Amino acid sequence: MSAIAGIGTDIIYISRIEHSYQRFGERFLVRILGEQERLIFARRYRLNPQRGIRFLATRFAAKEAFSKAIGLGMRMPMAWSRMQTLNAPSGKPMVVLNDELRSWYETRFGAAHITLTDESDLVMAFAVVESLMGSSATDHKEN
């Protein structure tokens, strides 16, 4: 049985993300999305701009929720583009970390879980990270 090491949640107005994208364009995408997420965003945005913005907003919320669950916020080694939320073949959202963040994460935590939801004007993400086997959540605090 695994223990929960951290949880995080984030809720955001889609219009806030849309405004940032309109203002900063590609710079915003590169800062926020990982490489695979940028490819998905481009495909969705090309087919339907609103669908692309909704994807961008859910990924923004997922990164915020995950950063809270691991207790770092947006401090190194956590950075927006280092954590991606991609979909398993079943459609289930899954956390994918780049090498630098993954090596830090794997010494402290077990599995990571993320869920996303959206409404007409809001998106929300919820993240749960498990403890390493045989560890308690307090073992992961850094001095």
Side-chain angles (χ1 to χ4, degrees), residues 131-142:
S131 297
L132 287 172
M133 295 302 281
S135 301
S136 70
T138 57
D139 292 340
H140 302 299
K141 291 184 180 175
E142 294 185 8

Side-chain angles (χ1 to χ4, degrees), residues 22-134:
Q22 289 171 348
R23 183 170 180 204
F24 300 107
E26 187 68 20
R27 283 187 326 173
F28 185 67
L29 292 180
V30 169
R31 181 173 181 219
I32 302 301
L33 299 179
E35 186 176 342
Q36 292 169 293
E37 290 172 322
R38 287 194 306 271
L39 294 171
I40 297 165
F41 169 82
R43 187 172 54 244
R44 289 185 182 192
Y45 191 82
R46 192 171 41 252
L47 294 172
N48 180 332
Q50 285 309 113
R51 189 165 179 238
I53 295 298
R54 189 171 295 276
F55 175 86
L56 179 57
T58 57
R59 274 36 189 194
F60 185 97
K63 293 159 194 290
E64 282 283 327
F66 179 78
S67 73
K68 293 170 185 174
I70 63 173
L72 285 180
M74 286 301 159
R75 292 190 323 266
M76 291 303 206
M78 179 64 193
W80 298 103
S81 61
R82 291 182 177 175
M83 178 271 186
Q84 296 187 91
T85 302
L86 303 174
N87 294 93
S90 66
K92 177 184 174 182
M94 60 185 191
V95 172
V96 177
L97 306 176
N98 84 342
D99 291 340
E100 186 174 357
L101 181 56
R102 182 175 45 250
S103 63
W104 177 89
Y105 179 90
E106 288 176 347
T107 64
R108 292 161 176 81
F109 301 104
H113 309 278
I114 194 104
T115 188
L116 309 166
T117 190
D118 60 273
E119 263 307 314
S120 59
D121 59 345
L122 291 168
V123 298
M124 183 187 152
F126 186 80
V128 175
V129 293
E130 296 180 14
S131 297
L132 287 172
M133 295 302 281

